[in-house]
């Protein structure tokens, strides 16, 4: 059976999974969305990091993204089992194209079983395990530092784990063994080792929440993180996230980054204000000792530009160094980043819009993202977005492209 046929067959199995579940006395909820859209990037013609598009970045993409959600509960059974299935089938074609420019993989974003016993629960399978109030980045999380919360097109996958949790009015305790986080390898800032053991302790009150996070990966130092949030009134939310970690490898050994491989801290401070009409405005400031300072960023990008030019001329050693530096560079690249987010009332079903602005004060570069969605009828919405990058050729946001545009439709089949 071909890969496309296998994906279609797996999705078909999920679509009929609700029938036997209902027959067994389960409460079943299911939904299927199909996103059809295209994207176009205006690449920099003078990009030092991508001369002649040596990185083969796509200028045009066409995507068909089918997202299925199935949740079944057996509330009358012992342990109240709950089964969640969230596969997605993403067909993508890109241009300029390579031999593997078109693909249609089936991705299991979530697939887990949860059992309950009073205030305790056990979860096994692939689960999206995120926390913290921040949107731009989440320093308190050892796995989901970039949780893509500010990207309206993202479909963030889970990790494979066994998790035990206990909740009460005063807070909660979570212990988890992550057996694999390979689903995050292409989209998140992760060390090279795979498994992890983590613990989270949370304390909550009427207007505040505080959490402590401990995590360890094989052959790596202890990750210590946490977050706190305070609601002074109905309109304001004040929060912060932080961590202390020592990455196994951040950059090649000769890179101009004295922080690489050393324990350092990452801190995010934020505030969010919700207006009477439901619109919210958020401001966050991120400082990371794992990011590059002004001088180190300039030296690092100069070396990248040199390797990119040599790679375009056929130097395999330069190509390897460039690939390593692009894969292992800290995200975001600079030590300091400011982020502003403004969005409409997410409870409105007729339309939704959001604006996000990230700024690197070290090199003066910025990234503006605009998104809008309109619901035309019960089963159909249209959407469009634009990302505008501003900055010099050797800046964080302005190095590769000027703009990216996307537009498409969402079909809500059931």
């Amino acid at each position: 059976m071909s890969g496309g046929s296998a994906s279609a067959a797996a999705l078909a199995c999920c679509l009929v999974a609700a029938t036997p579940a209902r027959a067994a006395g389960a409460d079943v909820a299911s939904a299927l969305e199909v996103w059809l859209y295209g994207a176009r990037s205006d690449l920099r013609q003078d990009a030092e990091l991508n001369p002649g598009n040596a990185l083969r970045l796509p200028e045009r993409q066409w995507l068909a993204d089918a997202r299925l959600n199935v949740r079944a509960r057996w509330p009358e059974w012992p342990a109240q089992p709950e089964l969640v299935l969230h596969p997605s089938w993403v067909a993508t074609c890109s241009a300029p194209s390579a031999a593997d420019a078109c693909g249609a993989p089936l991705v299991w974003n979530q697939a887990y079983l949860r059992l309950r016993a009073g205030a305790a629960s056990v979860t096994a399978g692939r689960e999206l395990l995120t926390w913290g109030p921040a949107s731009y980045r989440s320093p308190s999380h050892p796995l989901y530092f970039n949780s893509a919360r500010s990207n309206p097109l993202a479909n963030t996958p889970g990790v494979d784990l066994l998790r035990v949790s206990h909740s009460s009015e005063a807070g909660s305790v979570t212990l988890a063994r992550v057996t694999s986080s390979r689903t995050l390898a292409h989209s998140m800032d992760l060390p090279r080792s795979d498994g992890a053991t983590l613990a989270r302790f949370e304390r909550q009150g009427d207007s505040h929440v505080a959490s402590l996070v401990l995590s360890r990966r094989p052959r790596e130092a202890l990750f210590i993180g946490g977050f706190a949030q305070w609601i002074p009134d109905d309109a304001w939310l004040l929060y912060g996230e932080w961590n202390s970690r020592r990455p196994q490898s951040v950059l090649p050994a000769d890179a101009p980054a004295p922080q690489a491989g050393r324990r350092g801290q990452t801190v995010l401070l934020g505030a969010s204000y919700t207006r009477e009409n439901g619109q919210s405005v958020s401001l966050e400031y991120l400082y990371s000792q794992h990011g590059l300072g002004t001088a180190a960023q300039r030296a690092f990008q100069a070396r990248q530009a040199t390797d990119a030019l040599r790679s375009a001329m056929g130097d395999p050693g330069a190509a390897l160094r460039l690939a390593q530096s692009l894969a292992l560079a800290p995200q975001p690249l600079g030590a300091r980043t400011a982020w502003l987010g403004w969005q409409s009332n997410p409870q409105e079903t007729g339309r939704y819009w959001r604006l996000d602005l990230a700024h690197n004060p070290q090199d003066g570069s910025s990234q503006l993202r605009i998104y809008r969605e309109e619901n035309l009828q019960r089963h159909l919405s249209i959407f469009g977005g634009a990302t505008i990058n501003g900055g010099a050729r050797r800046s964080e946001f302005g190095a590769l492209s000027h703009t990216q545009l996307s537009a498409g439709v969402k079909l809500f089949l059931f």
Side-chain angles (χ1 to χ4, degrees), residues 79-166:
Q80 301 177 8
E82 178 182 5
L83 177 66
V84 171
L85 300 174
H86 177 29
S88 64
W89 180 64
V90 187
T92 306
C93 282
S94 303
S97 62
D100 57 350
C102 291
L106 177 70
V107 179
W108 286 95
N109 295 287
Q110 295 194 83
Y112 64 83
L113 176 66
R114 178 172 294 148
L115 304 176
R116 293 178 173 85
S121 65
V122 178
T123 303
R126 179 169 296 174
E127 182 188 23
L128 177 61
L129 185 65
T130 60
W131 56 67
S135 294
Y136 181 65
R137 293 293 187 267
S138 183
S140 68
H141 208 300
L143 302 176
Y144 290 94
F145 176 66
N146 179 8
S147 58
R149 289 178 178 172
S150 62
N151 183 359
L153 299 182
N155 193 10
T156 307
V159 293
D160 300 335
L161 54 72
L162 175 64
R163 178 169 70 90
V164 180
S165 298
H166 184 278

Side-chain angles (χ1 to χ4, degrees), residues 351-363:
R351 64 178 52 88
Y352 174 76
W353 56 263
R354 66 176 300 139
L355 179 151
D356 300 274
L357 175 63
H359 176 65
N360 181 338
Q362 296 177 179
D363 58 23

Side-chain angles (χ1 to χ4, degrees), residues 129 143 159-162 176-181 194-198:
L129 185 65
L143 302 176
V159 293
D160 300 335
L161 54 72
L162 175 64
R177 173 59 185 171
V178 178
T179 58
S180 177
S181 55
D194 198 36
T197 301
L198 62 86

Side-chain angles (χ1 to χ4, degrees), residues 300-315:
F300 174 62
Q301 290 173 317
R303 194 189 72 159
Q304 279 188 311
T306 300
D307 284 341
L309 180 59
R310 291 176 177 174
S311 175
M313 297 174 64
D315 184 345

Side-chain angles (χ1 to χ4, degrees), residues 1 30 60 74 77 86 89 134 137 146 162 170 172 214 224 228 236 274 310 337 339 375 377 387 390 406 410:
M1 182 180 291
S30 59
R60 297 177 301 278
W74 290 264
W77 287 26
H86 177 29
W89 180 64
R137 293 293 187 267
N146 179 8
L162 175 64
S172 63
L214 305 174
I224 307 172
W236 283 97
T274 302
R310 291 176 177 174
T337 306
W339 175 85
N375 182 248
Q377 54 172 284
T387 300
S406 61
K410 293 183 182 180

Side-chain angles (χ1 to χ4, degrees), residues 263-285:
R263 179 169 289 275
Q265 286 71 47
T266 300
V267 179
L268 181 145
L269 299 177
S272 178
Y273 177 76
T274 302
R275 304 172 62 188
E276 292 184 0
N277 60 7
Q279 295 180 11
S280 61
V281 180
S282 302
L283 180 64
E284 298 179 0
Y285 181 79

